Amino acid sequence: MLPFTRFHAATLKDLHDWSTLSRNEVGPFLARFGIEPLGPKYPILRVYKHLLGLSPQSNADDAILGAGLVRVTTVAGWLGTSAERLLSRLRTHNNGFPPLYAFGPHRHLLLKGQVAQMFASPKNGFAPLKPVAGHAMPASRLARHFDVPQSRIDVLLADPTNLPARVITEGRTRFIVSDVAHWLSGRGENVASTSATSQRAQPAADQPTVPKTDNRGGLFASAAAQAAGGSRPPRSCTRSASDAQRGDGLHRNPPEAKLSGA
């Protein structure tokens, strides 16, 4: 039935044919990228955009995307080389090959339509497709984009054999944002489940607890508040660690100033 047209409503079998994944894998795999079916089927435009970061702008684009994906092992066989040597070449700068979509340790895929164009061209040419903005980004921007400590991104990238999904174009790697979000949420493998939000919500270990005072006023209310504030040790500007970097206001007027009416 391939190639699909842009408004094709794809069944799991259709997506098995298009993606080379097994039929049982397709549903959970697409859910990992936030792609849900519309009724019992998947709009193929939705798959193009959120899985590959591509959206056809012409009939030619439609034909390339609709032809589906092909495994690197298959392309290597067509070239008469090994998959390892082809992958090494695809990771080098200015390699002249179509973009590589790496969805896991054994899921290295290319667009079959672009590979066919490259094979037919006397100068290895193929039609590039413009990526959707924000679909993928370099590792250097991930921590800032998700507002998490760089250490959490470092954990995701520590094992080069098991990385989040990515697109490699002329040797430049861009990680697919939706899959990185999936890993950060704790559903991915080898990722701590504590979110950055919960980390920020926890008070620092050296931050003293402000005693409760009677807010109903009275003759000695102000003096009691000052005494309670004066009993706490002074806050060190050198021990606020990452909180100071996040600008959470630890170095503004201390609570005792507020309690005393300053």
Side-chain angles (χ1 to χ4, degrees):
M1 191 173 179
L2 295 172
F4 297 145
T5 59
R6 69 185 71 186
F7 294 110
H8 180 74
T11 64
L12 292 178
K13 182 183 183 305
D14 290 338
L15 290 172
H16 154 69
D17 295 336
W18 180 85
S19 68
T20 78
L21 300 173
S22 74
R23 194 183 306 188
N24 292 335
E25 285 183 285
V26 169
F29 176 76
L30 294 181
R32 170 178 148 192
F33 297 88
I35 304 170
E36 298 293 340
L38 184 60
K41 299 182 179 180
Y42 291 82
I44 198 67
L45 277 176
R46 186 177 298 183
V47 177
Y48 293 163
K49 181 176 180 180
H50 297 285
L51 180 63
L52 304 180
L54 300 171
S55 183
Q57 304 297 314
S58 65
N59 290 335
D61 293 352
D62 201 16
I64 292 173
L65 288 166
L69 300 168
V70 62
R71 292 178 182 263
V72 161
T73 51
T74 301
V75 178
W78 293 342
L79 288 169
T81 187
S82 68
E84 290 75 16
R85 290 187 67 180
L86 179 55
L87 281 172
S88 177
R89 188 170 177 183
L90 289 166
R91 293 175 182 133
T92 61
H93 290 289
N94 302 318
N95 57 68
F97 277 78
L100 171 70
Y101 298 90
F103 296 126
H106 303 292
R107 290 177 180 162
H108 297 101
L109 306 168
L110 300 163
L111 278 169
K112 191 174 183 179
Q114 288 181 327
V115 173
Q117 289 179 341
M118 184 184 68
F119 274 60
S121 168
K123 295 184 178 180
N124 302 323
F126 62 90
L129 301 177
K130 184 178 180 181
V132 173
H135 171 261
M137 60 182 58
S140 59
R141 290 175 51 195
L142 291 174
R144 181 173 58 183
H145 176 81
F146 288 105
D147 190 24
V148 298
Q150 182 62 42
S151 59
R152 297 207 65 206
I153 300 302
D154 293 341
V155 168
L156 297 186
L157 308 183
D159 182 1
T161 66
N162 190 22
L163 296 171
R166 56 211 181 276
V167 184
I168 303 175
T169 305
E170 295 185 338
R172 295 186 299 272
T173 301
R174 300 288 185 271
F175 289 90
I176 297 176
V177 169
S178 58
D179 195 45
V180 175
H182 172 88
W183 285 56
L184 288 172
S185 71
R187 293 192 297 270
E189 298 176 0
N190 303 327
V191 181
S193 60
T194 305
S195 67
T197 302
S198 64
Q199 290 176 353
R200 290 195 300 270
Q202 296 175 358
D206 61 346
Q207 183 173 346
T209 302
V210 179
K212 294 182 179 179
T213 57
D214 190 347
N215 294 326
R216 292 174 298 178
L219 181 61
F220 300 105
S222 176
Q226 291 184 13
S231 65
R232 293 194 302 274
R235 182 171 301 170
S236 169
C237 290
T238 62
R239 298 182 59 196
S240 55
S242 59
D243 290 335
Q245 297 175 8
R246 293 189 171 275
D248 60 353
L250 284 179
H251 301 298
R252 298 175 185 168
N253 289 337
E256 47 267 51
K258 296 179 182 179
L259 289 172
S260 62

